[in-house]
Amino acid sequence: MIKFGYTILYVADVSKAVEFYTSAFGLEKKFISPDNDYAELLTGETALAFISRELGHANLKEGFVPSRLADKPFGIELGFVTTNVSEVIESAVSKGAVLVESPKEKPWGQTVAYVRDIDGFLIEICTPVG
């Protein structure tokens, strides 16, 4: 059996990423390494984690493409579900997120909006489906 355990974002500064996600979205820190190269947040069964770009380069001999606000977002997103999309968007933007798409109601009744975090990763903020 296999279990989805982590989504790990390669970030410029692990401590700043943790600070952003805890203050913008109210998530709690689970663990941060003594050298600030790796951290996890309490997000339920699957962890949201961060690794420094330096450690990422050490782990991947061929390197990787870093996420940057100046570039278009990758074709992947984090999804946070809430009953108050506008409130979460306002909090995130006040902590440094960049609004990409304002809240819109989808034909199936879900409200969806998009921001980018301080490292440029795309985040969907939405109400529950159905």
Side-chain angles (χ1 to χ4, degrees), residues 78-90:
L78 300 177
F80 292 138
V81 181
T82 180
T83 56
N84 192 332
V85 172
S86 295
E87 184 178 287
V88 173
I89 292 292
E90 184 178 316

Side-chain angles (χ1 to χ4, degrees), residues 7-43:
T7 294
I8 303 174
L9 304 179
Y10 289 42
V11 297
D13 185 311
V14 171
S15 295
K16 285 183 181 176
V18 168
E19 181 181 325
F20 170 76
Y21 279 85
T22 57
S23 65
F25 301 112
L27 300 174
E28 293 181 44
K29 180 173 53 175
K30 177 181 177 184
F31 169 82
I32 190 161
S33 67
D35 57 3
N36 291 317
D37 274 349
Y38 180 80
E40 293 180 11
L41 299 178
L42 293 170
T43 54

Side-chain angles (χ1 to χ4, degrees), residues 67-109:
S67 176
R68 293 191 173 97
L69 275 171
D71 301 326
K72 286 186 178 183
F74 298 135
I76 187 170
E77 64 188 55
L78 300 177
F80 292 138
V81 181
T82 180
T83 56
N84 192 332
V85 172
S86 295
E87 184 178 287
V88 173
I89 292 292
E90 184 178 316
S91 174
V93 169
S94 76
K95 304 300 182 190
V98 175
L99 182 64
V100 176
E101 295 289 339
S102 297
K104 293 180 180 70
E105 189 166 332
K106 298 295 184 177
W108 51 90

Side-chain angles (χ1 to χ4, degrees), residues 107-130:
W108 51 90
Q110 184 183 36
T111 300
V112 176
Y114 295 91
V115 297
R116 292 183 72 190
D117 76 3
I118 59 174
D119 286 286
F121 291 101
L122 188 62
I123 302 168
E124 176 182 334
I125 310 297
C126 62
T127 55
V129 176

